[in-house]
Amino acid sequence: MSTTEQRVAIVTGAARGIGAATAVRLAAEGRAVAVLDLDEAACKETVEKITAAGGRALAVGCDVSDEAQVEAAVARIVDELGAPTILVNNAGVLRDNLLFKMSASDWDTVMNVHLRGAFLMSRAAQKHMVDAGFGRIVNLSSSSALGNRGQVNYAAAKAGMQGFTKTLAKELGKFGITANAVAPGFIATEMTKVTGERLGMGFEDFKAAAATQIPVQRVGEPEDIANAVAFFTGDAAGFVSGQVLYVAGGPLN
Ligand code: NAP
């Protein structure tokens, strides 16, 4: 890459939460960022934050679990921003329930968004990384990968993301591509707010209760995860691959 060429990053699920913070952070690092989410209009706020700070960004509407939409979205990003060499598979959903009450459709939705979504996006983006001889893939796992009551679907998907990451690292390393996973603990976003509501707790009470269980005595913010993703996507991290970094305010048992 010439020194004047700008790397293009795709961040999925970037309309809000961790994805939005990551898109803004990667733009601050000088990347042109495709802000991808289900609803293109919902990406406007993240895109405006980036452009207001002098960056380049493109809003892209796409369901990551839909093969045709993923292929079309990546083709559009290549045309309008340039060939992507950084991919952050962050889009995610929860469909929590105890096993005996979980529907097959709630199982499938979680598998499709996290695992099928990361697979389709990585497959579509990797050819551009191979052509460039450089690539950075970061997958969002979770502390729930270690097991979490009421999340049999999500825990399986997030553990699956770790195996997926390690295999990408092995297959793609020879093309200058690294793959790593970031596994957040409790991060204050819409996702955890909804979980609190489901448990009958206001968000402030829910966060305060969670903080007492975390060694640093606070819950995480989306920027805490964006910082970790920024490290893995950097040019300087080329010898770090196939790793899972828990970002949870302390070690997990
Ligand atoms: P969030 O606030 O719910 O944001 C997730 C985003 O992903 C939403 O904008 C959502 O769009 C989008 N999305 C959902 N399905 C999609 C699809 N099929 N295609 C494209 N976009 C889709 O969640 P978050 O807390 O920022 O979480 C981000 C990632 O971190 C997820 O993978 C999550 O599992 C992981 N994580 C979060 C935490 C936490 O404590 N927050 C902890 C561990 C791991 P809609 O709004 O339209 O649904």
Side-chain angles (χ1 to χ4, degrees):
M1 191 180 81
S2 82
T3 48
T4 53
E5 211 175 315
Q6 187 179 38
R7 293 205 193 283
V8 174
I10 304 175
V11 183
T12 72
R16 63 171 195 233
I18 293 169
T22 300
V24 168
R25 174 62 199 266
L26 295 189
E29 305 256 318
R31 316 313 188 178
V33 184
V35 176
L36 184 151
D37 210 293
L38 272 176
D39 175 17
E40 184 169 322
C43 299
K44 193 167 165 253
E45 202 181 314
T46 310
V47 167
E48 282 177 358
K49 249 188 209 165
I50 292 170
T51 51
R56 272 176 82 213
L58 174 71
V60 181
C62 170
D63 177 349
V64 296
S65 66
D66 183 297
E67 187 172 16
Q69 286 188 38
V70 166
E71 292 296 325
V74 173
R76 190 181 149 213
I77 291 162
V78 172
D79 279 353
E80 297 188 31
L81 271 189
T85 54
I86 298 171
L87 170 65
V88 183
N89 285 310
N90 165 82
V93 290
L94 293 180
R95 293 289 184 274
D96 293 356
N97 225 328
L98 292 174
L99 173 64
F100 78 104
K101 289 194 281 191
M102 185 173 287
S103 68
S105 129
D106 283 348
W107 174 270
D108 290 344
T109 298
V110 168
M111 292 302 148
N112 285 341
V113 176
H114 297 270
L115 285 176
R116 183 177 158 88
F119 155 66
L120 292 174
M121 287 298 308
S122 301
R123 191 183 62 178
Q126 61 80 34
K127 51 182 167 285
H128 302 290
M129 301 182 189
V130 170
D131 287 349
F134 173 93
R136 299 281 183 263
I137 299 174
V138 181
N139 298 314
L140 268 289
S141 178
S142 167
S143 54
S144 294
L146 301 170
N148 199 24
R149 186 178 159 83
Q151 292 197 317
V152 74
N153 49 1
Y154 185 77
K158 291 308 200 185
M161 291 295 261
Q162 298 189 9
F164 177 68
T165 300
K166 288 168 200 261
T167 303
L168 289 183
K170 289 188 177 186
E171 285 191 18
L172 300 175
K174 65 180 169 198
F175 303 109
I177 302 168
T178 66
N180 291 285
V182 174
F186 188 120
I187 309 299
T189 67
E190 191 63 26
M191 187 176 269
T192 38
K193 185 166 180 262
V194 169
T195 301
E197 283 164 6
R198 194 173 55 79
L199 299 172
M201 285 175 90
F203 199 30
E204 291 311 312
D205 289 344
F206 188 45
K207 286 191 289 186
T212 64
Q213 305 304 308
I214 299 171
V216 301
Q217 296 287 288
R218 69 168 177 90
V219 300
E221 296 298 329
E223 291 72 20
D224 290 311
I225 304 308
N227 289 337
V229 174
F231 165 70
F232 283 128
T233 57
D235 285 23
F239 204 56
V240 183
S241 196
Q243 302 305 302
V244 179
L245 180 64
Y246 284 89
V247 181
L252 297 161
N253 299 319

